[in-house]
Amino acid sequence: MSRAYTGLIRLCGIAAALLLGVVAVLVSFDVVVRNIGLGTFPWIVEVSEYSLPLATFLIAPWLLHRGEHVRIDMVLTALPGPLARLVARAADLLGLAISAVFLFYGIRVIRDSMGLDSLVIKTMVFPEWWLFLPVPFCFALLAIEFARRLRMSFWP
Amino acid sequence: MSWGLATIFLFGSVVGLFALGLPVAFAFLGVNALGAVIWLGGEAGLSQLVRNGVISITSFSLTPIPFFILMGEVLLHTGVAMKAIDAIDRLIWRVPGRLAVVAVIAGTVFSAISGSTIATTALLGSLLLPDMLRRGYHPNMAMGPIMAIGGVDMLIPPSALTVLLGSLAGISISQLLIAGIVPGMLLSALFVGYIVLRAWLDPALAPSFEGEVVAGWARWRPLVVYVMPLVLIFVIVILAMSAGWATPTESAAVGAVATVAVAWLYRALTPDNLMKSLMGTAAISGIILFIIVGATTFAQILAFSGATNGMVALIRDAQISPMAALLGMLTILLLLGCFIDQVSMMLITLPFFMPLVQLYGFDPVWFGVLFLICMQLGLLTPPFGMLLFTMKGVAPGHITMCQIYRAATPYVVFGLGLLVLVTVWPPIATWLPRVLLGK
Amino acid sequence: QELTIKAVSAFPEGTFNSKNFESFIQRINAAGKGVLQINYIGGPKAIPSFEVGNAVRTGVVEIANVTGAFYTTIMPEADALKLAQIPVAEQRKNGAIEYINSIWNAKANAYYLARVVDGTPFHIYLNKPIDKPDLKGLKLRVTPVYRDFFQALGATVVQTAPGEVYAALERGVVDGYGWPITGIFDLGWHEKTKFRVDPGFYNAEVSILVNLDAWKKMTDAQRALLQKEALTAEAMNADYARDIAEDTRKQAAAGIKTIAFDAANTKKYLDTAYATGWKGVIDKSPEHGPKLRQLISKK
Ligand code: NA
Ligand code: NA
């Protein structure tokens, strides 16, 4: 179970990495094609915009798992051991709660948008809820990660 | 809730959550969720918060961030960067703290390509920092200059933030861009002087690491061979922009692809190190963008709570002398800079500040440069500083946030010095645009 | 029972597109003591421009100043308002506003209160001259408002962040852009612009929307106050003539030359603009598009 979870979040991270690489190639391709007069692919600009939130939400759980999200550790390192552990647990608990809130309202935004049949109408036309799909997915994984950290702190 | 109470509540709870060691992005999201319930009307507000969060990073103007990071990561993981640094190093090996000096000079040059301060810091950080630490540089000496130069980037054109400031504030953009050059160069010269002096006084900060002294062609050959790829990439990026082939954002992507191509030409590219570079890019971009999600929505909550309008009205309604008003405005900017990002700083304050600038008859270009310096300082002031966080993103795991704050401190002092200097002696900012553009 | 409602604008405070709305708020707050007060939160610092429509729909804010292009996601019909060829006062008389309001009620949960930017045309601004309505070989920076039109004229369209237009013009990444007759000075673009194509096309639109639930809950006195000041605001649209004249003069003073076509080409130019504009609307809303076209086009 734990292996499957770690494998999944790592896979998401790799997907984010490949996505950003592909976007860099696409944007360069658009520049070249436009300048040799072969027209332009306006959808590439839009894809590059959408790739930012997608990549960010895809890799966020992997970053949390590896402890790479920026945190300010001044207070924690100054506290005595037992107290620091308590504070760390409180932080994980809060993280879990915050992730749960965004999971819940992420789903809500998607349901709301589906109900309205909202469409993003730019060069590409697609259902608006696609944009928000990564949110509940990401925060579900983040919630699991915070829960795992809590469990590990009690039963290492 | 009165705006004063709201201000204390919002800033207080963010700082409190920071102190618990909750990741910065989550601290913001947590406070934002509370704020949405209070000021955005409960459930609808929380849904709006989710939407605003996604929108905040769905922006073409943020795409240079991953592209510039990719440039740095590829140069780093393929070893192309290391060889180039060695080569430059051989040339200026007599200069104390030379890698730090290289960082400042390379950063100043790079500022002329990059429109994004975060991207510059990320690039230089992933490029130079591991090498400096490996060579035994003190973390302060290794990280400080890189972060400091990221801020200078904002003053030296092209600069996305300067253009944004000009258009939001109604200040001539071309004048503002040019006005930033002298203060920017002055600052980077001060940095070089400071680094050399520190390293000369205390050689342990930046150990010299080369025994053999090479001369003649042996000294120059590596420069030609190993610095060429960097020059090539630089030329491609500059050409793409100046020949009108690509927007600044697009040229960042072109630069990233060119870097991969050059690494391949130098037979330094392997599937393995390409994947490592891409993973590193996604990780650093993810860290930065996730914080931007939290910080942007925090600024929105701040606006809804009445805190921002209240703070600025305080100055507007106080009947004070022009100089006191100016100091008040700069103080607000410096305080806001400790907590929020630069775009939000502009959106929040400009609608109130620009009428005051007009009322008191300040030179808008001069005020614009002061505003830029305050924003540049905001990138480096704790607890919330985008460049501090960017550095944390690229630095090895054992570096603590505290060390990063310490490393940035001297450069914050220099920035404040520059702020005072430009305030009392405006020509530093206004002379060059006057000479170049007339008026 | 004084009611306080929250307001936002999709445009920065104090700018051209927010002015009329802001003076509307001032008048309400002056006249509405004890009845209705508006708490103006501000511009995009509070709600991102493209989310303002949604914020009104869900009631995060009760009233907002926003243009249709910013909320086509919720209702594609919002894009049609830019195609109006008759002023809003006339739209009130011929039943157009009533029809618009019924669509806005149903689709955006919003009461269509007033149009506060009206009669301000868009133009094509160029750095290379043209002598007929043909943009082949030119790269133009677009927003969704006129992308279809520019493409129909053969342009290569480029999308950029607003902050990059200046640099893109400076370096020739784009040869021009579309924008209303007013506002290029706010953005500094006049420094990098050589020509303006006349005549203008379309009709820049910014309107005040009220959340429908909030509207229904208001007392008659509150609604009457809003409606009275809404009409005053619409009457003030006449003042834009002065802004337009002023900006036209300033553009000439800044060295921006005008490009005009002969009568046949002018007709072709405008016909293409409106034909592509309406095609875009009707394709996405076969239900309301044709009726809207009939109501707000010139007879
Ligand atoms: Na720069
Ligand atoms: Na700061």
Side-chain angles (χ1 to χ4, degrees):
Chain A
M1 184 58 212
S2 171
R3 282 254 287 292
Y5 167 80
T6 318
L8 174 66
I9 58 175
R10 179 154 179 273
L11 215 62
C12 291
I14 293 174
L18 293 176
L19 176 67
L20 293 177
V22 168
V23 168
V25 172
L26 280 177
V27 173
S28 307
F29 172 77
D30 186 33
V31 170
V32 172
V33 169
R34 185 174 70 226
N35 284 289
I36 54 179
L38 292 180
T40 177
F41 298 85
W43 55 268
I44 289 178
V45 172
E46 288 166 23
V47 167
S48 74
E49 275 190 327
Y50 301 135
S51 73
L52 293 184
L54 183 56
T56 304
F57 290 121
L58 274 176
I59 204 169
W62 178 241
L63 294 173
L64 184 64
H65 182 71
R66 292 167 50 100
E68 290 183 3
H69 280 296
V70 174
R71 57 176 73 218
I72 293 165
D73 46 15
M74 280 182 299
V75 179
L76 273 185
T77 48
L79 290 176
L83 196 56
R85 263 197 301 284
L86 202 68
V87 170
R89 275 178 197 161
D92 285 336
L93 196 63
L94 273 171
L96 177 59
I98 292 164
S99 303
V101 167
F102 280 83
L103 167 61
F104 183 82
Y105 285 94
I107 293 173
R108 197 154 206 182
V109 164
I110 290 173
R111 270 184 27 209
D112 193 26
S113 178
M114 280 171 115
L116 282 173
D117 289 324
S118 286
L119 290 179
V120 173
I121 305 172
K122 292 200 200 166
T123 309
M124 297 185 297
V125 177
F126 59 90
E128 189 203 38
W129 60 267
W130 291 10
L131 286 181
F132 303 113
L133 193 59
V135 175
F137 178 74
C138 165
F139 282 97
L141 291 174
L142 288 169
I144 296 176
E145 183 61 36
F146 276 118
R148 271 168 47 98
R149 293 163 72 110
L150 270 175
R151 202 198 61 188
M152 297 276 278
S153 84
F154 286 105
W155 304 283
Chain B
M1 202 184 298
S2 78
W3 71 264
L5 215 58
T7 312
I8 294 167
F9 167 74
L10 285 170
F11 287 126
S13 37
V14 163
V15 171
L17 291 185
F18 280 1
L20 283 184
L22 196 64
V24 168
F26 291 87
F28 276 123
L29 290 178
V31 176
N32 294 348
L34 270 182
V37 172
I38 302 174
W39 291 291
L40 261 63
E43 302 241 274
L46 282 162
S47 293
Q48 188 67 56
L49 182 64
V50 170
R51 297 177 61 99
N52 290 4
V54 175
I55 300 292
S56 69
I57 53 170
T58 310
S59 162
F60 199 48
S61 39
L62 293 175
T63 49
I65 293 176
F67 298 153
F68 279 128
I69 294 172
L70 182 57
M71 272 171 92
E73 289 286 302
V74 170
L75 290 173
L76 175 76
H77 290 293
T78 57
V80 173
M82 190 90 79
K83 289 193 176 123
I85 293 166
D86 274 343
I88 298 176
D89 208 63
R90 240 177 245 215
L91 274 190
I92 61 163
W93 63 278
R94 267 179 228 278
V95 179
R98 56 191 182 277
L99 276 183
V101 174
V102 168
V104 173
I105 294 173
T108 309
V109 173
F110 198 74
S111 303
I113 328 177
S114 162
S116 158
T117 50
I118 292 173
T120 299
T121 306
L123 173 79
L124 291 174
S126 59
L127 197 64
L128 294 170
L129 184 63
D131 199 43
M132 289 160 98
L133 292 175
R134 193 174 58 81
R135 309 259 198 199
Y137 272 54
H138 189 279
N140 284 357
M141 194 45 120
M143 296 187 296
I146 297 175
M147 288 187 284
I149 212 66
V152 169
D153 188 343
M154 186 197 289
L155 291 168
I156 296 175
S159 159
L161 285 172
T162 307
V163 172
L164 196 60
L165 176 65
S167 53
L168 289 176
I171 303 172
S172 159
I173 293 166
S174 49
Q175 293 206 31
L176 196 55
L177 283 169
I178 290 171
I181 295 177
V182 173
M185 301 300 257
L186 189 65
L187 209 49
S188 85
L190 280 173
F191 292 162
V192 172
Y194 169 77
I195 291 163
V196 172
L197 190 70
R198 282 302 310 268
W200 181 64
L201 289 175
D202 185 0
L205 285 175
S208 52
F209 46 77
E210 206 169 36
E212 32 147 8
V213 177
V214 285
W217 178 235
R219 192 170 161 200
W220 289 94
R221 201 194 79 99
L223 190 74
V224 175
V225 177
Y226 297 119
V227 178
M228 266 314 279
L230 294 191
V231 174
L232 202 62
I233 295 163
F234 188 80
V235 167
I236 290 171
V237 174
I238 289 285
L239 205 63
M241 279 200 303
S242 56
W245 296 338
T247 63
T249 299
E250 289 172 336
S251 36
V254 172
V257 173
T259 308
V260 175
V262 165
W264 177 74
L265 278 178
Y266 270 72
R267 296 163 190 271
L269 192 73
T270 63
D272 189 45
N273 62 29
L274 179 62
M275 199 55 221
K276 252 195 203 136
S277 311
L278 285 171
M279 247 348 235
T281 304
I284 299 166
S285 314
I287 292 168
I288 294 167
L289 292 171
F290 208 45
I291 294 175
I292 293 180
V293 172
T296 312
T297 42
F298 178 71
Q300 291 160 1
I301 301 284
L302 210 55
F304 266 91
S305 74
T308 49
N309 288 356
M311 237 186 304
V312 188
L314 203 64
I315 289 218
R316 188 193 53 205
D317 301 337
Q319 304 281 320
I320 44 179
S321 73
M323 211 47 189
L326 183 70
L327 288 181
M329 288 192 278
L330 296 181
T331 309
I332 285 190
L333 286 175
L334 292 174
L335 284 178
L336 279 177
C338 292
F339 292 96
I340 62 174
D341 69 284
Q342 281 54 41
V343 175
S344 306
M345 278 170 74
M346 291 190 268
L347 288 177
I348 285 170
T349 59
L350 284 174
F352 299 93
F353 283 8
M354 290 323 285
L356 288 181
V357 168
Q358 218 168 14
L359 180 72
Y360 289 114
F362 297 144
D363 177 347
V365 174
W366 173 59
F367 181 77
V369 170
L370 293 175
F371 200 110
L372 282 174
I373 298 172
C374 289
M375 288 203 290
Q376 182 243 339
L377 282 164
L379 292 166
L380 295 174
T381 49
F384 180 88
M386 259 341 274
L387 293 186
L388 304 168
F389 296 158
T390 305
M391 183 49 75
K392 184 79 172 76
V394 296
H398 64 84
I399 299 284
T400 64
M401 209 57 222
C402 225
Q403 280 176 302
I404 293 178
Y405 289 154
R406 264 202 302 273
T409 306
Y411 304 93
V412 171
V413 174
F414 277 116
L416 284 172
L418 183 70
L419 190 64
V420 173
L421 210 61
V422 177
T423 306
V424 298
W425 201 45
I428 300 176
T430 54
W431 174 76
L432 195 61
R434 210 161 277 163
V435 169
L436 289 181
L437 298 173
K439 288 190 209 169
Chain C
Q1 17 63 287
E2 183 183 273
L3 173 71
T4 300
I5 57 177
K6 284 173 289 184
V8 295
S9 174
F11 303 92
E13 294 120 271
T15 57
F16 181 84
N17 287 325
S18 292
K19 275 191 318 197
N20 203 352
F21 181 57
E22 286 164 359
S23 74
F24 164 84
I25 292 175
Q26 280 176 0
R27 290 195 307 274
I28 295 277
N29 287 345
K33 296 250 156 50
V35 181
L36 180 67
Q37 291 292 297
I38 296 180
N39 171 18
Y40 184 37
I41 315 275
K45 72 180 184 201
I47 295 275
S49 304
F50 284 82
E51 281 299 314
V52 169
N54 188 64
V56 172
R57 181 181 69 80
T58 60
V60 168
V61 296
E62 284 85 10
I63 187 166
N65 182 55
V66 61
T67 182
F70 288 168
Y71 56 99
T72 49
T73 307
I74 301 172
M75 45 178 300
E77 293 84 357
D79 209 23
L81 300 180
K82 73 182 183 202
L83 299 169
Q85 287 172 305
I86 54 173
V88 67
E90 215 165 307
Q91 292 180 38
R92 289 207 179 270
K93 283 188 209 126
N94 78 353
I97 291 295
E98 203 178 323
Y99 186 66
I100 287 170
N101 193 29
S102 70
I103 311 174
W104 261 244
N105 284 183
K107 293 199 150 187
N109 192 35
Y111 185 86
Y112 187 90
L113 186 68
R115 176 159 178 161
V116 288
V117 172
D118 191 17
T120 310
F122 292 91
H123 284 265
I124 295 179
Y125 297 87
L126 292 173
N127 279 328
K128 290 179 183 164
I130 54 171
D131 53 12
K132 54 182 188 301
D134 177 6
L135 299 173
K136 272 195 201 67
L138 294 178
K139 292 173 286 185
L140 262 68
R141 189 261 180 180
V142 293
T143 69
V145 174
Y146 29 68
R147 182 179 48 225
D148 293 347
F149 173 39
F150 290 4
Q151 274 180 321
L153 293 178
T156 298
V157 297
V158 182
Q159 298 187 74
T160 74
E164 279 197 348
V165 177
Y166 184 90
L169 284 168
E170 181 171 46
R171 297 183 177 119
V173 180
V174 296
D175 304 310
Y177 55 92
W179 206 254
I181 182 77
T182 54
I184 68 167
F185 290 93
D186 296 342
L187 299 154
W189 297 351
H190 64 287
E191 294 172 6
K192 304 292 168 195
T193 304
K194 292 206 182 86
F195 305 99
R196 183 187 71 240
V197 179
D198 280 355
F201 57 94
Y202 299 167
N203 182 350
E205 172 268 336
V206 179
S207 301
I208 304 178
L209 307 184
V210 183
N211 171 270
L212 192 60
D213 306 315
W215 177 260
K216 285 180 180 156
K217 270 192 226 133
M218 286 180 198
T219 63
D220 288 342
Q222 288 159 347
R223 280 195 291 253
L225 176 63
L226 283 173
Q227 238 144 5
K228 173 170 167 280
E229 293 306 337
L231 289 179
T232 311
E234 286 185 349
M236 285 167 70
N237 287 340
D239 294 351
Y240 288 126
R242 214 176 37 222
D243 294 287
I244 293 170
E246 169 70 4
D247 266 41
T248 310
R249 191 192 58 72
K250 271 168 70 184
Q251 286 184 15
I256 298 174
K257 296 191 184 66
T258 55
I259 294 174
F261 309 124
D262 58 37
N265 273 326
T266 301
K267 180 173 182 323
K268 186 181 155 208
Y269 180 71
L270 291 177
D271 285 351
T272 312
Y274 284 96
T276 52
W278 278 114
K279 182 176 182 305
V281 172
I282 293 170
D283 279 355
K284 283 160 213 142
S285 178
E287 188 190 353
H288 300 294
K291 179 87 193 272
L292 276 171
R293 180 174 197 172
Q294 185 215 326
L295 281 167
I296 64 177
S297 294
K298 203 156 36 195
K299 287 292 147 351

